[in-house]
Amino acid sequence: MLKLKYNTPILLLILVLSISYLSFFNYESQKKLLLTQMKSDAGDIVNSITAAMIRFQDIKSTMNLQTLVNNVSFGLEIFEFRYLEPDGIIRNSMFKEEIGNIYTAKSFKQTMQGEKNLKEFFFETRDYVDVMAIYYPIYRNKSLIGMIDLAVDVSEYKKIEGSQENFALLRRQVDIMNLLQAIEGSIANSLEIFEKTDVDRFLHAYVHSAENIVQISLIDVNNTIRISSHPEMIGKKLNMRELPPPELVNIEDRLIYRTVVKSGLLDKSKDTQLMLLIDASPYAQNEQQLLQTALVTSAIALFFALVIARAIYYSALERSRSEKERLEQLVKERTHEIEVLSKTDALTGLWNRGYLEEMLEMEFKRAKRYGHDISIMIIDLDFFKRINDTYGHMAGDEVLRHISKRISDCVRETDFVGRYGGEEILVILPQTSLDAAQNIAEGIRVTIAQQPVIFESYTIEVTTSIGMSHLRQEHTDYLTVFAEADKALYFAKEQGRNRVVVFDPTIDVG
Amino acid sequence: MYGGYSERLHLPVIIALICVVVMFQASGNERIQEECNATMPPIPLEFAMGTEAYNEAMDSGKYRYVGNTKCRLCHRKFFIGRKKDPHDYAMKRLEEGGYDDNPRCLLCHSTGYGMPTGFINRERTPRLANVQCEGCHGPGNIHIKLAKEKKPAGGFLAGEDHPERLKKMCQSCHTKRWNRSYHDLHQAYIKYRNPNPNARRHVKESK
């Protein structure tokens, strides 16, 4: 009982908790899986965009006279050749690896600060080599859009004359100027073509071709959107200090997966970033479904646990109640049995002698007090010893039991029938006149005499002698009455047995 | 009197000083003198390749020296690193002693002297002075042509295709007489895998 009471709920609780935990664990891991899926999707998209952008910039580069640069630097004795934007970004260079970087040469800074003039030759050392260089400006619509940085190795000229103003050098300068003017025209041309092809439109087209991409933007070092598939976004400044981790955000009631990755697309030296927004609603749906499943699983587990707990509780209650009842019943029966056992005769089931005497005394007292009649009869089996000897004790016992039963059947419920001695049976008949009692006695005698007792294969004829008496005025206790009945019985035996004799003071017993 | 004494004292000191300077000069110039009296040293690449292979390569007319500024386009780190290397001052050493037009000396102190398209003199071939890239690796034009097309470029007469030749190149200049540069050829050789062979950290020997 105790075990059931405390262990089962704990077990159930653990069960529910573990089922819930399992379902939520499942939910979490599935969620993670989905997120990784999203992440790798995003990665794929970023890769393809980057590839496309690089391709785009390659086209751009070619238009920016990559071949010319190569030809110029290989064919003519040119030491360095770059195309710079006014902010110093190297748009093109004979050194492929520095394209996109910011040009940091001291002379360039000085030129941009106005300390040196554009379109004027000067001398400096680059990579341990003495060079003559020039920053040649390119204008469009009267605004500076870029410049060519060109340098030639002049170590040998300096060796020859020891002077920078020598004739050979001047001739070289004229040559270079002619070359630069030619390049200027072709750069202006290519820039025009280039401007017609704009990156924003390219990105826009890209976004439209891919269903779930919402937006692609390139963010520069200052967190300003420089290029975007959504032109209205260009120029907007984002407030993010560092690369935020990929996350799910809600934008205009739409669940969007946002990822920002480093990209060297705008400017190789700086951490420009590529921001990618992907529609995450399919993901959200999936996630919701998963969550629901997890919740339902937990709820069902909880429900079943409750039902089981309730059932167990009630059955336990029921069992304890019936157990109690059973016990009570048992106790009652036992006490009764003990009670009955102490009052009855084991063989015949009739009252025993002790009880009979108690009853005699009680009933006699009562009868005397209320002035009622009371009669008694003593029934004795005739020749009982002979039965025992002839058929055995078992037969004797059987006869006794049989006779007792018949006697009980013949009397009323209110009468007491008891075994007084070996084969003597006493019947107390309260509130019964002697006449009535005599009738009953006669009835008993006849019934017994008429029906022999069948024991195994024997048919045993039994007769009884009955002595009777009843309470009269002069009696003070039951003993006298009993003695009278006994005397009458004795007389009946003397008279030849199988008869009823009522005490009469005149009878004389020898 | 005193002045005379001091004059007499001065003289031996001056003589001694001159002796010391001459001795030093002699010890510095000893090898140069030896070199001047010795037989003409071989052209380093010929020595490294063997006369037969060398002649075949030169007769084909395919190989040309281009100068290290061309290499700089793709090997800028090497270019900068080698600018700090003594090989880049080899011509300066000759100029200091006025030997910069001595053909013997130029064989070991310039790039491709005595070879078609190699160094002639500072006026005509200013970009092939000193022991440049091609001074060790051999003419570079074929390499550049190949490098523009494919990745492991090759194309050198004494490049990675022929590592034994490159080592022999070192030996051709660093003879018994000119052997103060290193004690262990292999160690010195390994150092030159690094763009800057004189940098503190060197590429570990892997082979």
Side-chain angles (χ1 to χ4, degrees):
Chain A
M1 284 298 283
L2 225 135
K3 260 187 177 174
L4 249 172
K5 222 170 173 174
Y6 295 108
N7 282 359
T8 314
I10 288 169
L11 276 174
L12 277 170
L13 192 74
I14 288 167
L15 195 78
V16 170
L17 283 181
S18 51
I19 289 176
S20 303
Y21 172 77
L22 272 178
S23 51
F24 276 96
F25 175 78
N26 180 47
Y27 162 67
E28 278 299 330
S29 57
Q30 291 284 327
K31 198 172 140 180
K32 243 178 236 156
L33 215 76
L34 274 173
L35 214 72
T36 358
Q37 184 62 41
M38 281 294 278
K39 232 179 245 175
S40 85
D41 281 358
D44 286 350
I45 294 170
V46 166
N47 282 346
S48 76
I49 291 172
T50 312
M53 291 282 287
I54 286 170
R55 182 81 197 93
F56 194 85
Q57 259 166 13
D58 265 0
I59 298 167
K60 213 168 97 178
S61 295
T62 336
M63 287 192 294
N64 268 1
L65 309 169
Q66 181 72 55
T67 30
L68 179 78
V69 170
N70 278 342
N71 290 345
V72 161
S73 44
F74 279 110
L76 306 160
E77 288 295 332
I78 283 171
F79 192 71
E80 278 181 9
F81 185 103
R82 295 183 177 86
Y83 178 72
L84 308 168
E85 281 178 357
D87 53 3
I89 291 174
I90 302 170
R91 258 295 142 253
N92 217 319
S93 166
M94 64 193 272
F95 302 113
K96 246 193 174 150
E97 66 273 11
E98 67 173 21
I99 295 174
N101 292 359
I102 301 269
Y103 192 50
T104 52
K106 202 177 156 201
S107 60
F108 179 70
K109 277 184 198 152
Q110 287 170 338
T111 309
M112 292 323 282
Q113 284 160 10
E115 292 166 30
K116 267 194 164 90
N117 288 331
L118 281 165
K119 227 174 174 173
E120 215 167 70
F121 286 99
F122 60 94
F123 295 86
E124 67 178 353
T125 305
R126 292 186 186 177
D127 287 359
Y128 302 94
V129 177
D130 292 325
V131 296
M132 178 173 74
I134 185 170
Y135 292 109
Y136 188 88
I138 308 277
Y139 295 101
R140 273 200 82 206
N141 305 327
K142 288 191 180 139
S143 69
L144 181 72
I145 55 159
M147 62 211 86
I148 294 168
D149 165 35
L150 194 140
V152 291
D153 183 352
V154 290
S155 39
E156 66 261 33
Y157 298 94
K158 285 172 81 185
K159 274 277 128 48
I160 298 161
E161 299 287 329
S163 154
Q164 296 164 1
E165 300 297 323
N166 66 58
F167 181 66
L169 264 184
L170 287 175
R171 222 177 44 199
R172 191 107 176 91
Q173 288 180 358
V174 174
D175 285 350
I176 290 169
M177 270 302 183
N178 285 339
L179 174 72
L180 285 171
Q181 271 152 21
I183 292 172
E184 184 186 8
S186 100
I187 284 185
N189 269 347
S190 72
L191 281 176
E192 209 160 327
I193 303 166
F194 183 62
E195 250 172 34
K196 281 184 191 145
T197 338
D198 95 275
V199 193
D200 298 333
R201 256 191 283 170
F202 160 75
L203 284 181
H204 199 69
Y206 192 95
V207 167
H208 275 261
S209 68
E211 256 172 37
N212 59 336
I213 302 177
V214 180
Q215 188 196 315
I216 306 167
S217 296
L218 274 172
I219 305 159
D220 70 7
V221 226
N222 308 316
N223 283 338
T224 310
I225 295 182
R226 280 264 301 271
I227 294 172
S228 175
S229 58
H230 289 54
E232 69 272 13
M233 295 296 290
I234 295 172
K236 276 196 184 155
K237 206 175 156 90
L238 303 175
N239 53 341
M240 44 185 197
R241 223 163 265 134
E242 56 217 22
L243 221 63
E247 57 182 345
L248 287 168
V249 289
N250 245 315
I251 300 173
E252 289 166 5
D253 281 343
R254 250 169 105 188
L255 192 66
I256 303 272
Y257 177 81
R258 185 177 72 181
T259 179
V260 181
V261 293
K262 278 191 183 158
S263 89
L265 283 177
L266 274 181
D267 178 351
K268 243 196 242 162
S269 65
K270 296 282 173 56
D271 288 343
T272 57
Q273 296 165 3
L274 191 139
M275 182 169 78
L276 181 67
L277 304 183
I278 306 175
D279 185 8
S281 45
Y283 161 80
Q285 266 168 18
N286 269 338
E287 198 211 308
Q288 229 157 33
Q289 237 162 30
L290 277 174
L291 183 66
Q292 255 167 25
T293 318
L295 281 173
V296 166
T297 315
S298 305
I300 289 173
L302 190 69
F303 174 76
F304 273 111
L306 280 176
V307 166
I308 293 168
R310 216 178 128 87
I312 288 177
Y313 173 70
Y314 276 112
S315 86
L317 211 69
E318 180 61 31
R319 240 196 285 177
S320 77
R321 203 172 56 204
S322 66
E323 186 73 2
K324 201 174 120 204
E325 272 170 11
R326 202 179 68 84
L327 266 183
E328 276 171 2
Q329 186 64 26
L330 214 67
V331 169
K332 227 191 254 170
E333 275 168 16
R334 279 276 171 276
T335 31
H336 184 71
E337 266 168 31
I338 291 162
E339 228 170 28
V340 169
L341 271 178
S342 65
K343 288 175 191 165
T344 50
D345 173 60
L347 178 65
T348 58
L350 301 177
W351 300 116
N352 62 18
R353 183 175 176 155
Y355 187 65
L356 271 180
E357 284 173 348
E358 250 177 66
M359 281 302 124
L360 269 174
E361 194 178 339
M362 216 167 76
E363 288 300 322
F364 267 85
K365 272 185 187 155
R366 190 188 290 160
K368 253 191 108 74
R369 194 175 328 136
Y370 296 112
H372 290 159
D373 280 335
I374 183 165
S375 304
I376 60 166
M377 58 176 100
I378 300 171
I379 305 164
D380 191 81
L381 297 190
D382 298 332
F383 305 117
F384 185 65
K385 199 170 172 315
R386 210 157 63 190
I387 293 172
N388 269 340
D389 294 346
T390 315
Y391 305 105
H393 281 284
M394 299 286 273
D397 287 353
E398 182 57 32
V399 168
L400 256 177
R401 260 199 295 273
H402 212 88
I403 300 307
S404 304
K405 174 100 181 28
R406 275 194 211 155
I407 296 168
S408 295
D409 289 346
C410 290
V411 301
R412 299 154 310 180
E413 237 174 81
T414 45
D415 303 334
F416 293 92
V417 183
R419 188 173 173 207
Y420 199 77
E423 67 268 22
E424 271 180 2
I425 290 161
L426 177 74
V427 181
I428 306 167
L429 307 137
Q431 296 186 42
T432 312
S433 67
L434 193 58
D435 280 351
Q438 203 172 348
N439 281 337
I440 291 171
E442 198 55 39
I444 289 169
R445 185 193 68 78
V446 172
T447 320
I448 290 170
Q450 270 175 357
Q451 271 187 11
V453 174
I454 313 289
F455 174 72
E456 291 175 353
S457 54
Y458 311 116
T459 307
I460 307 166
E461 303 278 354
V462 186
T463 55
T464 49
S465 307
I466 302 175
M468 301 182 62
S469 181
H470 75 113
L471 180 72
R472 291 187 304 277
Q473 210 60 51
E474 65 269 25
H475 290 130
T476 50
D477 60 15
Y478 74 92
L479 286 173
T480 9
V481 185
F482 187 83
E484 284 173 5
D486 200 34
K487 233 177 235 172
L489 173 65
Y490 200 75
F491 191 70
K493 295 262 184 194
E494 251 184 11
Q495 293 286 304
R497 299 188 167 83
N498 191 19
R499 65 196 63 223
V500 177
V501 174
V502 177
F503 178 75
D504 173 354
T506 61
I507 60 168
D508 181 26
V509 187
Chain B
M1 264 271 293
Y2 277 99
Y5 178 74
S6 73
E7 258 178 21
R8 246 181 285 138
L9 198 97
H10 264 253
L11 206 68
V13 172
I14 290 167
I15 289 167
L17 269 172
I18 288 168
C19 275
V20 167
V21 169
V22 166
M23 262 175 73
F24 255 99
Q25 278 246 297
S27 76
N29 288 335
E30 213 173 69
R31 295 194 296 171
I32 297 174
Q33 288 308 314
E34 262 179 51
E35 187 63 61
C36 287
N37 299 329
T39 50
M40 192 72 168
I43 291 170
L45 193 61
E46 186 183 355
F47 174 84
M49 290 175 70
T51 311
E52 208 175 306
Y54 171 79
N55 282 340
E56 199 184 308
M58 288 306 120
D59 291 346
S60 74
K62 282 199 287 187
Y63 292 93
R64 273 191 296 110
Y65 284 97
V66 296
N68 57 6
T69 46
K70 294 286 183 286
C71 313
R72 177 173 169 264
L73 257 177
C74 308
H75 302 291
R76 201 172 170 191
K77 274 195 194 130
F78 272 88
F79 180 87
I80 295 169
R82 295 294 197 262
K83 276 284 168 196
K84 300 167 192 163
D85 188 54
H87 288 109
D88 228 61
Y89 298 94
M91 188 59 78
K92 214 175 161 201
R93 295 280 164 275
L94 296 188
E95 281 167 1
E96 281 163 0
Y99 290 98
D100 53 336
D101 54 357
N102 187 324
R104 283 171 191 276
C105 314
L106 288 172
L107 274 172
C108 293
H109 287 252
S110 75
T111 303
Y113 183 79
M115 293 169 62
T117 76
F119 182 84
I120 299 166
N121 58 42
R122 292 221 74 175
E123 286 73 34
R124 294 177 62 187
T125 54
R127 294 211 182 80
L128 294 175
N130 304 318
V131 180
Q132 297 185 0
C133 322
E134 291 167 296
C136 286
H137 292 288
N141 67 319
I142 302 272
H143 168 71
I144 293 180
K145 206 175 142 198
L146 291 175
K148 280 181 185 170
E149 286 152 16
K150 59 189 176 95
K151 205 59 204 273
F156 283 111
L157 289 172
E160 263 167 17
D161 319 343
H162 308 280
E164 77 291 345
R165 284 187 189 168
L166 187 51
K167 227 169 208 172
K168 266 189 124 178
M169 284 295 280
C170 314
Q171 289 166 316
S172 71
C173 294
H174 294 269
T175 53
K176 274 208 185 98
R177 188 175 301 120
W178 304 104
N179 62 354
R180 289 191 193 158
S181 303
Y182 51 77
H183 304 293
D184 180 354
L185 168 65
H186 188 65
Q187 285 301 318
Y189 175 90
I190 293 290
K191 280 203 317 186
Y192 280 83
R193 279 184 188 153
N194 202 300
N196 180 2
N198 305 300
R200 284 273 161 83
R201 266 185 59 242
H202 291 297
V203 180
K204 285 260 164 65
E205 182 178 5
S206 55
K207 285 161 203 170

